Amino acid sequence: MQVSVENTTALERRMSVTVPAERIETQVNKRLQQTAQKAKIAGFRPGKVPMSEIKRRFGADARQEAVGDVIQSSFYEAVVEQKLNPAGSPSIEPKSLEAGKDLEYVAVFEVFPEFTVAGFDGITVERLSADVADADLDKMLDILRKQNTRFEVADRAAQNEDQLNIDFVGKVDGEVFAGGSAKGTQLVLGSGRMIPGFEEGLVGAKAGEERVLNLTFPEDYQNLDLAGKTAEFTVTVNTVSEPKLPELNEEFFAQFGIKESGIDGFRTEVRKNMERELRQAIKSKVKNQVMDGLLATNPIEVPKALLSNEVDRLRVQAVQQFGGNIKPDQLPAELFEEQAKRRVVLGLIVAEVVKQFDLKPDEARVREMIQEMASAYQEPEQVVSWYYKNDQQLNEVRSVVLEEQVVDTVLQKASVTDKSVSYEEAVKPVEAPKAD
């Protein structure tokens, strides 16, 4: 077998392969012999069909199958011989397929980039530290109570934070528009669920009252047919209900699986959850800074095949998350290219760090992470046992731990400053940069 390779771009390779005719003919004859043993042809006993008849009937198909298999196997042999690492499937261009002659084809494909990860000392990281103060705990208890608010019908005018049961009809230019009408809708005033002015226009309304609201849809409204247009909403208020916060009592605690330890036990469990969230938030922010730093100090070219595959994965995830009847390939690739490129590049960089530093998942950290996750459940021992009985889930945890070890490896050489902040600031999500 003869192989020659041409570098057409930094990552693309054009590989010419010539396979001796004998190899093809051997594969063709092997298939014809197998066919002869089982072929059922009128006028001949099974296994007694003349080879000339087998070749006449099945020769073309046997050759086509043999050529396909030889191209596949010889391509693999060629890339191993040339020490190439293909990223994605090749594009095969046959040059000579004539029977009795050497098989010639050209395979065009991309390879994984070869690089060494560097620049750790140029990465800067701000590592936050915080504690869960009693005031933070009290605030969280208030949040939990508000999340479990119930509403009771009130015989008074509506106020902000009241829940109204309403019927409404919306019209644009005197015509009812699609999606602009509803009956028996529950609406909490001040929630921001409706367009600007709608909820504000119902403050002070009483049960049985009808109000007409003249409003304008925002210019950036998701329905472009309504964006910027003036609409008239006729709203009937059926009921006005006021919020009632639950008491911190046994009934409330039981909703969270805490039945016997009272307020002290409840505060202890909530604090544990807050501390767990705090640790994860700090760890996540450090990791994001490290990954941003690795991206900035290690610019690499991305194989188009890997980028395309990642875009397809993100499309599928988007459809699964948001539902609807849309197919993944109907979503524009441009929506996902930036995120896909980041994920692919980071995947390549992280894999190279693992290789350079010969990192292996620390099994003690794996167990510690599983126990940390299990502690949020009522029977943590069962959760730990479940992970160790499911290889797929266990390997996912190992991958996360290995990524943490990559972060630790970078931090050893990066410029790290520690900063004490409040709990609220530590768990606050990092805002994405605004587009120009």
Side-chain angles (χ1 to χ4, degrees), residues 70-103:
V70 169
I71 287 177
Q72 183 176 1
S73 59
S74 62
F75 173 78
Y76 175 76
E77 294 166 14
V79 295
V80 171
E81 174 190 308
Q82 298 294 319
K83 296 182 173 58
L84 298 173
N85 188 10
S89 301
S91 171
I92 302 295
E93 179 186 346
K95 291 296 185 182
S96 174
L97 298 175
E98 189 176 342
K101 290 189 176 182
D102 293 346
L103 167 66

Side-chain angles (χ1 to χ4, degrees), residues 202-420:
L202 297 179
V203 173
K206 293 184 177 181
E209 184 177 339
E210 180 180 283
R211 288 195 175 184
V212 177
L213 309 175
N214 291 295
L215 308 172
T216 301
F217 283 94
E219 294 291 344
D220 59 352
Y221 192 64
Q222 64 266 27
N223 185 339
L224 298 180
D225 293 334
L226 297 174
K229 291 188 176 180
T230 298
E232 179 186 271
F233 290 90
T234 301
V235 185
T236 301
V237 178
N238 300 319
T239 59
V240 175
S241 299
E242 60 185 359
K244 294 289 186 181
L245 293 179
E247 296 295 326
L248 290 173
N249 54 26
E250 301 299 329
E251 181 183 354
F252 182 74
F253 304 150
Q255 296 180 45
F256 298 87
I258 301 171
K259 300 178 180 180
E260 299 175 353
S261 49
I263 183 64
D264 291 336
F266 185 68
R267 289 177 67 90
T268 298
E269 286 301 314
V270 173
R271 185 186 289 275
K272 284 181 182 177
N273 288 333
M274 293 174 70
E275 289 171 344
R276 184 163 46 244
E277 180 188 13
L278 176 61
R279 288 192 296 272
Q280 290 300 323
I282 291 174
K283 188 185 295 184
S284 178
K285 288 180 178 179
V286 168
K287 174 187 169 184
N288 288 339
Q289 292 176 77
V290 167
M291 295 303 169
D292 288 343
L294 287 173
L295 282 173
T297 55
N298 294 276
I300 60 174
E301 190 169 344
V302 180
K304 296 183 182 67
L306 298 186
L307 182 59
S308 177
N309 290 340
E310 191 60 36
V311 166
D312 288 343
R313 269 193 287 271
L314 291 172
R315 280 169 159 167
V316 171
Q317 289 176 11
V319 170
Q320 290 173 343
Q321 181 177 354
F322 299 109
N325 297 321
I326 193 169
K327 295 181 180 178
D329 59 6
Q330 291 178 301
L331 295 173
E334 304 81 51
L335 290 176
F336 307 98
E337 282 179 353
E338 186 176 344
Q339 183 184 1
K341 183 175 181 181
R342 176 184 172 88
R343 289 172 65 161
V344 169
V345 173
L346 280 176
L348 294 172
I349 291 174
V350 167
E352 187 59 30
V353 173
V354 170
K355 179 181 175 183
Q356 281 181 217
F357 292 87
D358 194 25
L359 300 178
K360 301 287 190 300
D362 183 333
E363 293 300 329
R365 289 179 67 165
V366 170
R367 177 167 287 276
E368 183 182 336
M369 179 172 288
I370 291 173
Q371 290 173 335
E372 172 89 354
M373 293 186 293
S375 65
Y377 295 85
Q378 290 186 3
E379 297 181 356
E381 299 83 4
Q382 291 187 10
V383 177
V384 172
S385 176
W386 179 83
Y387 268 98
Y388 279 97
K389 289 179 181 177
N390 291 272
D391 287 341
Q392 182 178 345
Q393 283 73 25
L394 183 58
N395 287 331
E396 286 178 2
V397 177
R398 287 190 175 119
S399 295
V400 174
V401 168
L402 190 57
E403 201 168 79
E404 287 187 357
Q405 291 174 237
V406 168
V407 171
D408 292 344
T409 301
V410 176
L411 290 176
Q412 290 174 10
K413 296 185 179 180
S415 175
V416 182
T417 56
D418 292 297
K419 180 181 179 182
S420 295

Side-chain angles (χ1 to χ4, degrees), residues 46-62:
K48 299 299 183 180
V49 183
M51 184 55 68
S52 59
E53 183 66 16
I54 293 293
K55 287 182 178 179
R56 187 181 71 81
R57 288 174 176 261
F58 305 105
D61 288 343

